Amino acid sequence: MNKVLIVGDSLSMVRPDQGIAHEDIYAYLLQQELNSDGYDYFVLNASCRANSSQNAISINYLSETLDSIKPDLIVYFLGIVDCMPRLFGRYQRLLIRAMMSVKLLSKLGKLIISYHSRNRYSLTQKKLIQFVPLNAWQENLERFVEKTACKIVFVNIPHPGKQLQARNFEIEKIIKNYNNCLDVIAKDNDAIVLDFYNETLKRPDFLLDDGYHITKDAHHWLNQELLKIIKPETRKHLNTPA
């Protein structure tokens, strides 16, 4: 049996409140279509909310995914969590979390959050705070590739929708920089890049209202594009005709 490991974040997961059920996501579609076409594949969707390139190289994540199933193919779809401009740094987040847990301070904590949310664009213009800065993104990608022994398909970060651009200073430029870095890593390591950025640029309807989570149609597109990669790769290894 061949195994596909999907390393993703919330973009690769269900969103029931926005009409994205388990049967709609590309991991499920991929499993169903490969099986129905006679390909012996197991697809493990190891996506988790707020997943990042930093978490993807952690000992726990690697031991539960890469080391345990030893995949034949990896679909790596991360980046939006890494590059997204943030309103608070690590210690600020810890402080606000502590304030929210104290009744007398929780109101002040809510006011701070509300102020920053209302002024998100100007605040992200003044100072860029990210979970994973660009140099760390590059290092994390390189470390992940070093730990793999199979083909990797990178899905790059989608083009930001109107809502995301309206709330985050230069988010389009930021995403381009992260995707350019991804292209270099992929080229250096004989990996494939599925260009989701340009597809979502042409098809803004692939994005939900928040400007970065993806629609059913986008999941179907990803499934079809991944099938175009997986089926020929399988036939090549089995030396069977199309």
Side-chain angles (χ1 to χ4, degrees):
M1 176 181 288
N2 294 296
K3 290 169 279 190
V4 176
L5 172 66
I6 296 175
V7 178
D9 50 32
S10 59
L11 276 68
S12 300
M13 298 174 66
V14 299
R15 299 191 72 77
D17 56 330
Q18 293 174 297
I20 311 297
H22 177 67
E23 294 79 11
D24 300 316
I25 63 174
Y26 69 89
Y28 176 87
L29 297 169
L30 196 60
Q31 179 76 78
Q32 296 303 306
E33 193 153 348
L34 285 168
N35 288 352
S36 66
D37 289 349
Y39 290 85
D40 189 20
Y41 268 89
F42 169 66
V43 179
L44 174 63
N45 187 1
S47 302
C48 57
R49 300 197 186 282
N51 200 11
S52 68
S53 64
Q54 189 67 48
N55 183 63
I57 57 170
S58 66
I59 293 173
N60 287 343
Y61 190 86
L62 289 172
S63 65
E64 293 168 1
T65 57
L66 198 65
D67 298 340
S68 61
I69 77 160
K70 295 179 173 53
D72 301 283
L73 179 78
I74 295 171
V75 178
Y76 189 104
F77 187 13
L78 294 175
I80 193 64
V81 174
D82 300 64
C83 74
M84 182 81 79
R86 304 291 169 175
L87 293 174
F88 305 105
R90 179 185 175 188
Y91 295 110
Q92 290 173 310
R93 290 196 301 273
L94 291 173
L95 178 59
I96 291 172
R97 191 176 303 164
M99 291 173 66
M100 296 299 289
S101 66
V102 178
K103 189 175 181 180
L104 292 174
L105 296 175
S106 62
K107 187 174 181 179
L108 176 59
K110 290 177 182 177
L111 287 172
I112 293 171
I113 293 170
S114 177
Y115 169 81
H116 281 72
S117 181
R118 290 196 312 272
N119 296 279
R120 184 181 185 94
Y121 188 88
S122 61
L123 290 170
T124 57
Q125 182 177 10
K126 288 178 181 178
K127 185 177 182 181
L128 179 60
I129 302 171
Q130 296 167 301
F131 280 171
V132 181
L134 185 60
N135 62 332
W137 163 252
Q138 178 181 343
E139 292 172 5
N140 293 343
L141 290 174
E142 290 172 345
R143 288 178 61 189
F144 185 86
V145 170
E146 287 172 2
K147 295 179 182 297
T148 62
C150 65
K151 195 76 172 180
I152 303 177
V153 178
F154 289 109
V155 181
N156 62 13
I157 307 167
H159 181 267
K162 291 181 180 179
Q163 176 73 354
L164 198 65
Q165 292 189 53
R167 290 177 53 77
N168 297 275
F169 180 71
E170 290 192 338
I171 185 63
E172 188 173 15
K173 179 181 177 182
I174 290 169
I175 289 175
K176 282 183 179 179
N177 288 338
Y178 277 65
N179 281 341
N180 288 340
C181 179
L182 181 65
D183 287 340
V184 172
I185 300 293
K187 185 178 180 180
D188 289 346
N189 292 278
D190 194 30
I192 298 169
V193 176
L194 195 51
D195 191 1
F196 197 41
Y197 179 90
N198 277 314
E199 194 64 28
T200 47
L201 177 60
K202 293 184 292 184
R203 294 284 307 273
D205 57 300
F206 271 10
L207 300 175
L208 294 172
D209 290 342
D210 61 14
Y212 63 100
H213 284 105
I214 64 176
T215 64
K216 290 181 184 180
D217 287 344
H219 279 281
H220 280 270
W221 183 87
L222 286 168
N223 170 55
Q224 291 301 315
E225 294 302 309
L226 288 168
L227 286 170
K228 291 176 186 177
I229 295 168
I230 292 171
K231 288 181 177 181
E233 282 288 320
T234 305
R235 288 194 294 267
K236 182 172 68 176
H237 289 297
L238 295 176
N239 196 28
T240 57

